[in-house]
Amino acid sequence: MEHQSISNFDGETAVAFLEEMSINGFGMIQIAIEKMTDEDERPSLSDCEEALIACEIVAAINGNPSDDFPDDLQEWMGMFLPNGSEEQESVIQLSEKAADVIDAILTDSELRDLWEESTLFEEWMQYQVQLQERILS
């Protein structure tokens, strides 16, 4: 498997998750993160990808969006997660869990296994570590 981009926003899973979130609301962010905490089952590839998108949103809510954060997602956040709102605060509260989810994905996941086959593995790992830093800073 060879990826063209290490961005968490590239790929069909990201598009589908963001589309679903625009329909079902910001609760999808929490669902994606909490789905990763089920210790009985190794998270699926799509669960990992959805969780990383949710983590990107948490980082953006904390004021640290990625350079490739979609403009339309930023607009959506402005409408549905406005500054100072309870909704925004509920997403901010997910910061520690989001950082833990990134650890889990980087340590043992189908997504990591898939990226290990890529020549961009090290860059992808560093990108996710930077995402974690953006969440926690």
Side-chain angles (χ1 to χ4, degrees):
M1 176 210 106
E2 190 61 39
H3 288 279
Q4 299 300 315
S5 169
I6 59 173
S7 172
N8 290 319
F9 293 105
D10 286 345
E12 294 174 19
T13 302
V15 171
F17 178 76
L18 292 173
E19 198 171 279
E20 186 176 348
M21 189 180 68
S22 71
I23 294 167
N24 295 314
F26 73 92
M28 297 297 301
I29 300 165
Q30 182 173 351
I31 290 168
I33 289 171
E34 290 186 353
K35 209 186 283 187
M36 296 294 297
T37 62
D38 182 3
E39 295 177 12
D40 296 334
E41 188 174 311
R42 190 175 192 215
S44 72
L45 182 63
S46 62
D47 287 345
C48 293
E49 291 173 331
E50 289 177 358
L52 289 176
I53 292 295
C55 290
E56 289 281 6
I57 295 168
V58 172
I61 287 288
N62 283 320
N64 299 305
S66 65
D67 292 337
D68 65 341
F69 199 84
D71 291 338
D72 56 340
L73 181 54
Q74 191 71 46
E75 289 175 26
W76 182 91
M77 287 172 36
M79 288 188 299
F80 296 101
L81 300 169
N83 286 338
S85 67
E86 288 181 31
E87 293 85 358
Q88 185 189 52
E89 185 57 34
S90 69
V91 174
I92 291 170
Q93 295 294 320
L94 296 170
S95 296
E96 287 295 325
K97 280 185 182 179
D100 291 344
V101 161
I102 294 169
D103 278 340
I105 291 170
L106 295 182
T107 303
D108 180 31
S109 70
E110 285 185 35
L111 187 58
R112 179 201 163 100
D113 293 347
L114 195 59
W115 273 100
E116 281 182 322
E117 299 171 13
S118 170
T119 58
L120 297 174
F121 175 66
E122 292 300 323
E123 290 90 343
W124 177 79
M125 289 282 288
Q126 185 59 39
Y127 188 84
Q128 305 315 324
V129 169
Q130 289 170 352
L131 169 57
Q132 190 175 47
E133 291 169 354
R134 287 188 290 113
I135 289 169
L136 296 174
S137 64

